[in-house]
Amino acid sequence: MTGALAMFGGGRVIERGSVPAEQVRWPVVTEAEHEAARRVFDSGVFTSNTTGGGEVASLEREWAEFVGAPHCAAVSNGTAAIELALAAAGVEPGAEILVPALTFIASAVAAVQRMLVPVFVDVDPVTYTMSPTEAERLVTPRTRAILAVHLHGLPADMTALRALADRHGLLLVEDAAQSHGATYRGRRTGTLGDVATFSLNVVKNLPTCGEGGLITTADAELHRKVVLHRQFGEDLTRRERDYVSRVLAGNAKLSAVQAAFARSQLARLAEYDEARQRNVGALLARLADLPGLVPPVVPEDRTHAWHILRFRFDPVAMGCADVDPGALRTVLQRALRAEGVPVQQYQQVPLPWQEAFRTGAGFGGYPWALRGEAPAEPRVEDFPVSTAVVEDSLTLQRWHLNPDSGPVLLRCAEAFHKVWDNLDTLVPIARAVEHRPPWTRYANTRTEA
Ligand SMILES: *Cc1c(COP(=O)(O)O)cnc(C)c1O
């Protein structure tokens, strides 16, 4: 592909308005979803305040069967799912939970909502999931749990994390919000920890028409407690609701419309996943020969659900070792977006640098205040991989979730090639860009909670 870059006034590889909506929209809504919603309206059963029957219980059975877990409870969203899993497991306030530094904010705020202190762990440079060796280093006498996040859809290193959890008697929770259907050593995510949580948010690989979540476990007693915590601590196995709250718990029920919509999506999940493997595989094959473009890596013992595609850019392999990786990423982002590729940075900082975690604002300084402490000021040297990844990479989200996105993804590949053909004009710009990573702004500027 030749021609001037679109950022300098040349033609775009992906012209505005040229992407057919039916190839990139997400979720894909068919007649089956309309029928599912109508089924609920006609049934007159709109929520899940009973066990056994209805759309919610059917979704729970079908998801348990899909992942191969003995028990499943549907809840209001993926964040609540993590909270309920921790509540049901009885992790006490003030305890520490190991959480990866690179994940969506929900993973850690769910722990904070249960008054657990998140201890952030750097990620592995190949998989971007929690580094088991770093995790081991951060275990203290107060550590009670590990939250393993299958980031972007790739399962974390569960054998090593299981061994670590067993050595120290820790609860192992999977945050599988991004990894529906992905497998690790032949087993689906949702069966790899003591308990696992999924999101049904409309942007996830198994979407509902709004918000929802799922919790799977092999532990019958833990499942029973999750269900208690889902509805005011009430025992719903009784024939008649008795309004007796047995534990302090709120309301995290899933509605029947959300369950019915998710069930109809679940019926097509395997087919969509196959299409995604094909489409993403073709995209990555087209990008394989671009020097310095580091594609996602899938270790042989696992499969990737391809929720998010992350590409790192390596200045050394691009022949410009002197260019700041953050500056290079900024310039590549501008060039790619101008060509019509919707790349985005996703998080601008690893979790420890999020304003909320640095200050504890919004929760009166708790849970840290339980021990008379403030959140620890993060140091770059403790998170060399998470900080580097956030600086030198961009993500593609959404388009590739659509099973018919294959042709659009190949046009994205074409745009990458065009940009790489023009690196000799882009690199000097990156070299001239004044770039400072965002966390350098925060040094010694703690604000009061
Ligand atoms: C989306 C997401 C969640 C939270 O799910 P919600 O349903 O949006 O509350 C938790 N963890 C990760 C990694 C996520 O991507």
Side-chain angles (χ1 to χ4, degrees), residues 198-325:
F198 294 87
S199 169
L200 299 173
N201 182 276
V202 69
V203 303
K204 307 286 164 134
N205 287 30
L206 177 62
T208 185
C209 48
E211 306 276 345
L214 296 160
I215 302 172
T216 55
T217 181
D219 182 336
E221 180 57 14
L222 199 143
H223 172 71
R224 189 186 69 79
K225 288 185 180 153
V226 165
V227 176
L228 267 186
H229 278 266
R230 177 172 69 180
Q231 188 179 328
F232 310 115
E234 295 181 34
D235 177 4
L236 302 175
T237 60
R238 306 170 69 81
R239 190 164 305 151
E240 203 169 332
R241 186 173 177 184
D242 63 3
Y243 294 92
V244 174
S245 290
R246 288 154 181 88
V247 294
L248 292 171
N251 176 11
K253 296 194 296 297
L254 185 70
S255 86
V257 173
Q258 316 285 327
F261 188 104
R263 287 181 70 202
S264 88
Q265 289 284 327
L266 176 52
R268 303 198 299 277
L269 178 62
E271 177 199 321
Y272 283 6
D273 181 62
E274 264 182 52
R276 230 168 264 141
Q277 300 297 338
R278 251 193 333 272
N279 296 336
V280 171
L283 168 69
L284 298 183
R286 275 294 282 132
L287 299 178
D289 57 349
L290 295 181
L293 181 77
V294 185
V297 173
V298 188
E300 269 186 6
D301 59 357
R302 49 203 108 164
T303 64
H304 205 305
W306 301 125
H307 177 61
I308 288 173
L309 309 180
R310 186 183 287 275
F311 301 97
R312 295 184 74 179
F313 310 114
D314 175 5
V316 176
M318 284 164 72
C320 54
D322 62 311
V323 172
D324 180 272

Side-chain angles (χ1 to χ4, degrees), residues 6-228:
M7 74 185 272
F8 300 133
R12 291 159 62 103
V13 172
I14 302 174
E15 290 296 337
R16 260 178 241 285
S18 73
V19 176
E22 63 275 13
Q23 292 181 8
V24 295
R25 76 198 153 125
W26 189 257
V28 176
V29 179
T30 70
E31 187 49 38
E33 280 73 32
H34 288 263
E35 201 281 319
R38 269 197 304 274
R39 199 168 66 224
V40 173
F41 297 156
D42 293 343
S43 76
V45 180
F46 295 110
T47 186
S48 59
N49 57 4
T50 58
T51 55
E55 297 288 343
V56 173
S58 297
L59 172 64
E60 291 170 342
R61 271 196 302 278
E62 289 163 8
W63 186 247
E65 192 185 333
F66 181 85
V67 302
H71 306 283
C72 175
V75 297
S76 51
N77 59 62
T79 311
I82 301 170
E83 289 178 43
L84 263 65
L86 294 170
V91 189
E92 77 277 19
E96 290 173 1
I97 180 169
L98 300 172
V99 180
L102 190 67
T103 177
F104 182 58
I105 189 91
S107 311
V109 290
V112 167
Q113 291 298 320
R114 292 304 306 174
M115 291 284 234
L116 307 186
V117 175
V119 173
F120 294 109
V121 183
D122 204 11
V123 297
D124 177 90
V126 173
T127 64
Y128 312 145
T129 61
M130 182 187 288
S131 157
T133 46
E134 276 301 291
E136 174 108 62
R137 204 174 60 77
L138 292 165
V139 171
T140 76
R142 297 194 283 206
T143 312
R144 291 289 177 276
I146 301 173
L147 187 67
V149 182
H150 306 314
L151 195 69
H152 305 341
L154 183 69
D157 192 351
M158 294 305 287
T159 302
L161 293 176
R162 176 82 267 170
L164 174 64
D166 289 348
R167 269 197 302 282
H168 298 278
L170 310 176
L171 177 78
L172 181 57
V173 182
E174 295 172 73
D175 178 350
Q178 302 187 352
S179 70
H180 308 80
T183 60
Y184 177 87
R185 302 192 177 178
R187 284 159 58 196
R188 286 224 157 100
T189 61
T191 63
L192 305 167
D194 296 309
V195 58
T197 63
F198 294 87
S199 169
L200 299 173
N201 182 276
V202 69
V203 303
K204 307 286 164 134
N205 287 30
L206 177 62
T208 185
C209 48
E211 306 276 345
L214 296 160
I215 302 172
T216 55
T217 181
D219 182 336
E221 180 57 14
L222 199 143
H223 172 71
R224 189 186 69 79
K225 288 185 180 153
V226 165
V227 176
L228 267 186

Side-chain angles (χ1 to χ4, degrees), residues 409-424:
L409 297 186
L410 290 182
R411 286 159 74 194
C412 290
E414 212 181 299
F416 271 93
H417 274 267
K418 181 180 171 188
V419 168
W420 254 248
D421 286 346
N422 287 279
L423 283 183
D424 52 345

